[in-house]
Structure formats: structure tokens, C-alpha cells
Amino acid sequence: MTLRLGDIAPDFIQQSTIGDLRLYDYLGDYWGILFSHPADYTPVCTTELGYTSKLQEEFSKRHVKAIALSVDDLKSHEGWIQDINETQNTYVNFPILADKDRKVSELYDFLHPHASETTTVRSLVIIDPNKKVRLIITYPASTGRNFHEILRVIDSLQLTDHYKVATPANWENGEDVVILPAIKDENELNERFPQGYKTITPYLRFTPQPNKKPT
Ligand code: BEZ
């Protein structure tokens, strides 16, 4: 199935390292990060899952739950988790789906047969509390993901869901944002952006991040 931004994330029940996991029940009103990795006991994946477990505090701050997946079985995941904990000096604190029957991989388009006939690619989907798909990214097996970028996108999504702004190139939480071009009325601009705004062109206007207190 091809999944697109704005689609409703398909629900499923699958075996996982914390028992049978039903996506919607597990996420509740949290944001979700569902990410596939090619295989257990591989070097890049070991660093990715180790790093993800170290970001638990950052995920909690943002009301996010992570779920990993590969087509390996539960026994393999359980053995590998010991390795991740030891080698990455961490404690894997999120579920890993054992998608041996490929049910979830097929629902989420994690199998790209021209890249690998047997394993999932390195994909990641952000799901919002309304269960809408908000980000889909896919990396090659040889490139580990930058999980700070995932946090950055979540910060941007959570901000832009609440204010009529968007975040410019390379934006980091706390930096100035751009005002949506649809807002033209000066009274509305002053009301929505009491910290002021700078007009570069009629469609490019910067304002301090609205939910940050002025320093
Ligand atoms: C890895 O996770 O290290 C990996 C997995 C598949 C292909 C290449 C690298």
C-alpha cells in the first residue's frame, strides 16, 4: 500500500518486544514515530536503536512514543536488545515490532524490493494524535538516520499546528519563523504576532517564534 502525507495511519496488531501491540491503543493521544530498519545484529541499526533509546527524555517532552520494526522474529529482537544495551551503553525503552509476516511492512510500504528483496528499508513515519501521517522519509541501508532531524520536524509540526506560521530552512526550535502568506490583514497580523514582524517581501515575513517568551 502506498502511504501519503495526510492519510490516516493504518491500525494493526503485531507481536513486539513488549507483547502484542495494537498501534492505536499503544499511541493513545501521543504522537508516534514508527520506523523500520533492515535487520537485527547489523552495525548501523544497532547505533540507531541505541541512540533512539537515549532520546527518551526528548520524546517525552514532546509527547512522542517511538516504535521500531524489522522483519526479524521476537527471539532475534530479544537477543539483539542485549547487544544494543551493552554496546551503546543504554537501555532500549521502546517496543520493536517482530514483523516476520510483513503485515506492518506492507501496510506502511517499508519493503522496497528493488533495494532489498528480503529486508525492510530504513523508513520512518511520524503519526500525529489524530492518527494522520505527517512525515515519511526513507534512507538507504548504508546511511543511519539523524534523529535530531526527527525531533526538529516534530517541533515544527507541533508549532505550526497551533500558529499560522511555517519554519524556514534549517530552522531550530527557538529561532524566528515565517508568517503564512495567506495572512494579509494588518490588524490580524498585529493580533497574531504581538512580538512584531519583519517584511522582506510581501510573502516573506519573519516573526519571533510565537510560543517563546521575549528575552
Ligand atoms: C546496518 O544496519 O549496518 C546495515 C544494514 C543493512 C545493510 C547495510 C548496513
Side-chain angles (χ1 to χ4, degrees), residues 163-195:
Y163 297 94
K164 294 203 176 289
V165 298
T167 58
N170 297 336
W171 172 85
E172 294 288 347
N173 200 3
E175 293 178 356
D176 288 358
V177 297
V178 293
I179 296 172
L180 293 184
I183 305 177
K184 298 184 194 308
D185 178 74
E186 208 174 311
N187 289 334
E188 185 180 358
L189 284 163
N190 291 330
E191 204 173 290
R192 288 191 184 277
F193 307 110
Q195 298 184 69

Side-chain angles (χ1 to χ4, degrees), residues 83-98:
D83 278 10
I84 300 171
N85 290 344
E86 277 173 39
T87 64
Q88 306 304 300
N89 194 23
T90 190
Y91 174 75
V92 172
N93 45 19
F94 54 87
I96 310 177
L97 300 178

Side-chain angles (χ1 to χ4, degrees), residues 37-39 41-46 48 119 122 141-143:
H37 60 272
Y41 296 102
T42 52
V44 177
C45 302
T46 300
E48 282 194 328
T119 64
R122 223 179 271 293
S142 51
T143 307

